[in-house]
Amino acid sequence: MYKIEYAADLAESIKLLVVLAPMVAAKAQAGHFVVVRNGEKGERIPLTIAGYDRQKGTITLVVQSVGKSSSEICALQEGDALTDVLGPLGHATHIERVGTVLCVAGGVGVAPVYPIAKAFKEAGNRLISVIGARSKDLIFFQTEMKAVSDVVHYTTDDGSYGLHGFVTDAVKNIVEGGEKVDKVIAIGPLPMMKAVADLTRNYGISTVVSLNALMVDGTGMCGGCRVTVGGETKFSCVDGPDFDGHKVDFAELLRRQTRFSEEEKMAYGRYRKEEHKCRIR
Amino acid sequence: MSDKVRMREQSPEERIKNFNEVPYGYDEREALQEASRCLGCKKHPCTRGCPVEVNIPEFIARIKESDFIGAVEVIKRKNSLPAICGRVCPQENQCESYCVLGRKGEPVAIGRLERFAADYEREHRQTGMTAAPSSGSKTKVAVIGAGPAGLTAAADLALLGYEVVLFEALHAPGGVLRYGIPEFRLPKAILDEEVGYIRSLGVDIRYNMLVGATLSIDDLFADGYKAVFIGTGAGLPYFLGIPGENLNGVYSANEFLTRVNLMRAYRFPEYDTPVRIGRHVAVVGGGNVAMDAARTALRLGADKVSIVYRRAWEEMPARAEEKHHGREEGIDFKLLNNPVAILGDEKGWVKGMECVRMELGEPDESGRRRPVVIEGSEYVLDVDTVVVSIGQGPNPLLVQSTSGLETNKRGNITADPDTMATSIPGVYAGGDIVTGAATVIAAMGAGKIAAGNIDKYLKIKGL
Ligand SMILES: Cc1cc2nc3c(=O)[nH]c(=O)nc-3n(C[C@H](O)[C@H](O)[C@H](O)COP(=O)(O)OP(=O)(O)OC[C@H]3O[C@@H](n4cnc5c(N)ncnc54)[C@H](O)[C@@H]3O)c2cc1C
Ligand SMILES: Cc1cc2nc3c(=O)[nH]c(=O)nc-3n(C[C@H](O)[C@H](O)[C@H](O)COP(=O)(O)OP(=O)(O)OC[C@H]3O[C@@H](n4cnc5c(N)ncnc54)[C@H](O)[C@@H]3O)c2cc1C
Ligand code: SF4
Ligand code: FES
């Protein structure tokens, strides 16, 4: 069991968990993820390591409830525990000094972006961040991102904070406003990563995306997480999760995300009914 | 000479609706009757056919005397997991193929007798019989991978007096026995009991430990382990490399079976992991893995399941019993057929598989007649789910993170077949990671040889 040392709500249905996992913390680097399981009947789900403290032996996870498993994890409190935490998995993000790095985060994607931004900053790059969300109250990690960025831009879909629009609008403004960007890191929902990659392709700026394919083991054993990159089949868990955004077949990946939609919907529906009953009691 | 005693089993109509074990196993009377067929040959050729050289007539003699516990003791001198081997070994290619009775009629049902004895002992085992040896300042040995190779090596090393820690990547032990072989062939309760026995010997199993990510072999030595055994298996699924393989509805056998066995998707939504099965499932391949996937698909409610295999019935490498059971259960065998493309609908789901028919040509390197495509024989098989089970290779993760560990060109770790020693002093390897996908008993045999040689190595080194 992996004890939750601290839990906090970051925004509506987004939770931060600090989990005791010393061996994972000891090896964790920006870009790594873990596979966690909650309960003996739980499924294995991948979550990015949003931070780690080697001394305390903890890792930070930021979870958004989108279905049954993530909702159950979001309901955990300080003192509870995760049944399994496996990691660190995947290749760490390749950090180098390139000049100016633009980190683009969509929604909960700011959690995985943060350690990467921090590492690029520490490697001596100028760092510009774009943080996009549906509305103001869904933005979190503002202080953290500010601390590692030279400039932070915000966008909201409803205009409640920062630029009224999408992250791509901000990226466009930045690049076309004359900023020489050498590398883009984009993490968030698939359509957002695709939109950013499509945009930066025109500018010829190298763009790294972190793919959230459906996973089971996270160790290269099942092939369920396969994606097509540059015409070749890759396993996102062991070959990624970072890939060249200009080469990813996003249409295929978007489609593969729906492999179990019906089952997921059914499980979530049942879960919400059960939860509702508990609340009434 | 009489035929071997039949084993009672669930009827095909009944069993395709559940995941319970198919054969019931012998009762005492049946076991005694079958054991009485053994001639107790002095030279006992059967033993030669056993990869771990169980003294077969000796254990059968104990059964004849109704000393069932004694029978298991004889087996366990060589094989620590008899309840498992009795169920999954390809006996027809091993011990039973050497039995003298087989020349004129049916060989002794050695596997069924092994299973009977092991089940008897498990049901009558006194708990707490094997107390955990007290841990003093013992030499520490690390074992990587809790499949049959690792479990066997760990058990033997514990019996030799070492402090053994077993590092497993998944959240449960057993390797393929857990995630690959289905409940109806190997009940997980049996695996759990066998693992419980190994733990009772003092083996400490730690889960969620992916060696190569969570820790490295260098870390193990730095932590005071004096020797390491690698039994990480052949866990990397191969794909066909044909168009349409990434469509929705195409699984590797590993993904399909892991969802169902390790994650228990057959009990979704009680268990959280889903699996989706269509009306008509094609399973590509002809080994045990393909048979397991096909029979699992039937039990999940597919209307029709076809095995698509490029050679003929005789060449299918699956265990004879599984082929027989699959046929009884109504699996459609499309033999001498090979897929060339998987076709998708506008939404990206599988809607068919284009195949070609094959005929047998000249023998190839393996001595089997090579299948060649019949020109113009293309046709479309109407399927909505495809399970690819054409084999597995070694997962490169551990090797990549260990400098100086030699492999062959296929990526299997190179180990001395007599000692299981690798290119790194103190590091041993065995099972599928060395041989490529093979058998449970071969993996156990390798674990056993390695344990003995690790003991020798540590004694010579004075560690
Ligand atoms: C490398 C990686 C890192 C991730 N990091 C984070 C993170 O830091 N924070 C976070 O909130 N989420 C993260 N995710 C996504 C997270 O794993 C899914 O949201 C979660 O599995 C959904 O489970 P569920 O049962 O709640 O929802 P479901 O009802 O199962 O599904 C809801 C949605 O989540 C997607 N999903 C379902 N299962 C998986 C799975 N096994 N892997 C990936 N996506 C899945 C589905 O496509 C669907 O769109 C990451 C995914 C990957 C692959
Ligand atoms: C579906 C299926 C059916 C089969 N049916 C039969 C049968 O009927 N009869 C038969 O004799 N054989 C059968 N086989 C073959 C047999 O199961 C294997 O040959 C045998 O399990 C190999 O044992 P192993 O210990 O070498 O590896 P595995 O059983 O593969 O176990 C390896 C273990 O190591 C773990 N691991 C891998 N990498 C790491 C790492 N880096 N760090 C930590 N742990 C790691 C894995 O999670 C796994 O638990 C079947 C195989 C499959 C897939
Ligand atoms: S060869 Fe057959 S009959 Fe002879 S000892 Fe072995 S099992 Fe018995
Ligand atoms: S999650 Fe199974 S291979 Fe990537």
Side-chain angles (χ1 to χ4, degrees), chain A residues 215-218 220-225 235 237:
Chain A
M215 295 188 180
V216 183
D217 56 298
M221 185 265 266
C222 76
C225 64
F235 289 3
C237 66

Side-chain angles (χ1 to χ4, degrees), chain B residues 162-235:
Chain B
Y162 294 98
E163 183 182 333
V164 185
V165 179
L166 179 41
F167 296 88
E168 167 58 46
L170 294 173
H171 60 259
V176 168
L177 307 177
R178 174 76 52 181
Y179 75 73
I181 302 183
E183 180 76 17
F184 57 84
R185 221 154 52 83
L186 176 66
K188 298 299 164 265
I190 291 177
L191 175 60
D192 289 339
E193 292 215 30
E194 297 297 325
V195 173
Y197 163 74
I198 289 169
R199 290 185 43 212
S200 77
L201 301 174
V203 174
D204 174 9
I205 310 185
R206 299 191 191 154
Y207 301 106
N208 302 316
M209 295 287 173
L210 181 63
V211 180
T214 316
L215 72 171
S216 66
I217 288 184
D218 287 342
D219 293 336
L220 290 172
F221 283 113
D223 282 354
Y225 292 90
K226 302 295 181 204
V228 175
F229 174 76
I230 305 171
T232 49

Side-chain angles (χ1 to χ4, degrees), chain B residues 38-41 44-46 56-57 60 98-101 108 110:
Chain B
C38 173
L39 308 174
C41 312
H44 51 102
C46 47
I56 290 165
I60 297 182
Y98 286 80
C99 173
V100 295
L101 295 188
V108 174
I110 301 169

Side-chain angles (χ1 to χ4, degrees), chain B residues 88-90 144-150 167-170 174-176 179-181 185 209-211 231-234 257 288-289 292 319 392 398 430-433 438-441 443:
Chain B
V88 305
C89 273
I144 306 171
F167 296 88
E168 167 58 46
L170 294 173
V176 168
Y179 75 73
I181 302 183
R185 221 154 52 83
M209 295 287 173
L210 181 63
V211 180
T232 49
L257 292 170
N288 283 317
V289 189
D292 283 345
R319 287 179 79 222
Q392 298 92 235
L398 180 138
D432 282 3
I433 186 64
T439 59
V440 171
I441 190 70

